[in-house]
Amino acid sequence: MRRQHPLIAAISYLTMAFLYLPLAGVAIFSVNAARRGMVWKGFTLKWYLKLFENDWILEAAWNTLLLAVVSTVVATILGTILAIAMDRFPWRSRTSNFLDIILHIPVIIPDIILAASLVVAFGLLRLASSIFEPGLLNMIIGHITFQIAFVALVVRSRLVAIGREVEEAARDLFATNWYLLRKVMLPLLMPGIIAGAMLAFTLSLDDFVISFFTAGPDSQTLPLFIFAAVRRGVTPQIHALSTLIMLVTVVLVVLIERFTRRQEKIV
């Protein structure tokens, strides 16, 4: 086995330290008894207890979870359908290239521009109906607009890896389109669908810009709450909240990674 160059190994370790040491620092200060400052004054879990006693944080957590779950479910369904349609439908070359460009725009465009365009769009929609007032519905629609692209790209990569041979073999065995989709395509696509859904869910959890531009007075999320709280000064409760969000994210990544590997073995 070829040994890794020491310089490459050192750069890799430094990069990992640069990424994760600040997160470790947040976790450490979430159990620091000191209310202010960087001085260690003993271990305590009181900031976590106070966190769950804060009604504003609990409401923001509920809004964040509801927003992430609903937008992820809708975006995963639409993104999967879009990926299958773009990869398996016989589009013309120019049309296919145009669709590829449209699909990549939400991924590469700055969030602030997408958020500004959503504000204009919702302003026009409010002329037709009052349900598009700033609030949770607008936030869900706004998140779906960029989540669909990420889900579709992940599922399309899975479609490319599968190829068309399995579909052709199923059709040779007289499989109908519905049977092909339900019994062949979806099981093979499931790892990609789950990966796309996980990506969409995490993007929704930590989104700030689009949520900031589309939120209403009663639809505050955790990123918005943290932003408002940090402007008044970072408190141990913010460290505790950030640590919990990191732990939830890590647990979700581990569980979905194991599930995806199990599905790939089954397939």
Side-chain angles (χ1 to χ4, degrees), residues 10 15 29 59 72 81 88 110 124 145 151 174 176 196 234 250-251:
T15 302
F29 282 103
E59 183 180 357
T72 297
I81 296 173
R88 294 300 189 256
L124 295 175
T145 55
V151 174
F174 306 101
T176 62
V234 180
V250 170
V251 170

Side-chain angles (χ1 to χ4, degrees), residues 110-122 209-214:
D111 288 346
I112 188 67
I113 296 184
L114 180 59
S117 65
L118 287 172
V119 170
V120 175
F122 288 132
V209 176
I210 293 177
S211 299
F212 181 80
F213 277 81
T214 56

